[in-house]
Amino acid sequence: MKKSYWKSVVFGGLLLVATACGSEDTSSEADNGAAAEDGERESYVVATDNAYVPFEFLDEETGELVGFDIDLMTAIAEEAGFDIEFEAMEFDGIVAGIGSGRFDIGIAGMTITEERKENIDFSQPYYDAGLIVAVHADNDEINSVDDLDGKVVATRTGSTSETYIRENTGGTPEAFPQITEAYQNVIQGRADAVIYDIPNVQYYASTEGGGQLKTVGEALTGEEYGIAFPKGSELRDIADEALTTLKENGTYAELYEKWFGERPDGM
C-alpha cells in the first residue's frame, strides 16, 4: 500500500485538499486491485480540470468540484469499491502527471488519441465529442472552418483543438490555460474565432457567453473521451468493468441526462 500525504491546491482563492501518493511503496502488491489486503478500501488520486463545464468545474456557491466527469468517476469508484480524492489543475498538466505516475487516474474530458496512448492508457470511451468553430454573434464573415485563413483562432493550451488549428486551418492559433479566456478574447474582439469541444462551446454560449457567441459550420472531428491511467495500471481494467456495469444498469444514462438534458443514443 502506498504511503500518502496531504496536498492542498488553491484555485481562485478556494482551497482544494487532496491526497497524493508518495514515492515510497510499502508493499510489492500496491497496484494489484482496488481493495487492500487488510480489508480497507484503497484510495486513489484523480487528476481533473476545474474549468471545463459541464464536465468538471467549481460550483460558485459551494466551492466544490461538480460536473458529469466528477459524478461519473465517483460512481465508478463506488461500483468498484475504492475511494478517490480529486486534485484539480490546468488541463495540460494532467497528461504529464498521469504519464509520470504522479496520479493514479485522470478524468477531464480528455480525447483519446494515438499520441497520448504512447504515454498513458485509456479506459473504454465514455463520451462522444467533436470540435466546432465559434465566433462573435455579430460576425457574418466567418461561416465555417474554411473562412479561418489569416485569422486568429483561440483555443486551450494542450488541447486537440490546438493541434487541429495548426494542422488543418490557415489560421494562427492563440492558446490559453483556461478555455474561458479563449471565449472572452473572441467576445472582446481580440481573436476572430475559437475552436473547441462541442459540448463546452455550446454550454458556454448559452450560459456565461450571454448570447455573444455562436457556433458556425459543421462538427470538425469525431472524438471520444476516455479516463486516463499510467501505462500498465491494473486499475484501468477495474474501472472499465465498473463503467460497463454503470452503462448496463442505467446509472450512466441518468448522469448523462442530468448534465446534458437528454439520454445518450441507444440508452
Side-chain angles (χ1 to χ4, degrees):
M1 181 176 180
K2 291 184 178 179
K3 289 184 177 180
S4 298
Y5 59 87
W6 287 98
K7 183 172 182 179
S8 60
V9 183
V10 177
F11 283 103
L14 297 171
L15 183 65
L16 302 178
V17 181
T19 55
C21 292
S23 59
E24 183 180 354
D25 227 340
T26 60
S27 168
S28 61
E29 298 180 352
D31 296 318
N32 285 344
E37 291 183 1
D38 58 6
E40 294 181 0
R41 288 158 64 104
E42 288 279 16
S43 182
Y44 299 102
V45 182
V46 181
T48 190
D49 194 358
N50 75 326
Y52 183 44
V53 293
F55 291 87
E56 47 269 324
F57 59 101
L58 290 176
D59 185 295
E60 293 182 358
E61 294 184 0
T62 66
E64 295 180 353
L65 278 169
V66 296
F68 177 66
D69 281 355
I70 304 303
D71 283 355
L72 180 62
M73 193 65 241
T74 300
I76 289 172
E78 185 60 32
E79 176 64 32
F82 57 80
D83 296 326
I84 53 174
E85 296 284 350
F86 291 101
E87 184 165 339
M89 65 191 62
E90 293 181 357
F91 179 81
D92 58 346
I94 297 174
V95 176
I98 294 295
S100 68
R102 178 184 174 192
F103 304 110
D104 303 300
I105 306 169
I107 187 167
M110 188 183 299
T111 302
I112 300 171
T113 68
E114 292 303 315
E115 182 179 0
R116 287 173 177 164
K117 283 161 63 173
E118 293 177 0
N119 299 307
I120 60 180
D121 287 338
F122 281 102
S123 69
Q124 61 179 281
Y126 72 89
Y127 186 86
D128 293 327
L131 305 179
I132 196 75
V133 178
V135 298
H136 193 284
D138 296 333
N139 187 322
D140 295 323
E141 180 183 356
I142 299 175
N143 297 297
S144 74
V145 68
D146 298 328
D147 299 323
L148 295 179
D149 288 3
K151 305 296 185 182
V152 175
V153 186
T155 192
R156 190 172 195 185
T157 305
S159 64
T160 54
S161 51
E162 184 179 10
T163 303
Y164 183 91
I165 295 167
R166 296 184 188 280
E167 297 181 353
N168 297 280
T169 78
T172 300
E174 186 171 0
F176 299 89
Q178 301 293 342
I179 188 58
T180 51
E181 298 176 79
Y183 295 143
Q184 283 299 312
N185 269 260
V186 174
I187 290 173
Q188 295 168 13
R190 293 194 292 267
D192 300 296
V194 61
I195 291 181
Y196 202 57
D197 297 353
I198 293 173
N200 188 256
V201 175
Q202 292 176 334
Y203 190 94
Y204 187 89
S206 64
T207 55
E208 295 178 53
Q212 299 182 79
L213 205 64
K214 67 178 181 180
T215 59
V216 294
E218 302 293 330
L220 303 178
T221 61
E223 299 185 341
E224 295 177 319
Y225 291 168
I227 304 168
F229 302 86
K231 272 290 187 182
S233 172
E234 295 183 10
L235 188 57
R236 191 271 299 271
D237 291 340
I238 295 170
D240 241 4
E241 182 177 351
L243 178 55
T244 296
T245 299
L246 296 181
K247 288 181 176 180
E248 292 174 347
N249 68 19
T251 301
Y252 173 87
E254 291 174 2
L255 296 177
Y256 192 105
E257 186 174 19
K258 171 185 174 180
W259 289 103
F260 303 108
E262 60 184 9
R263 294 175 79 84
D265 292 341
M267 292 188 182

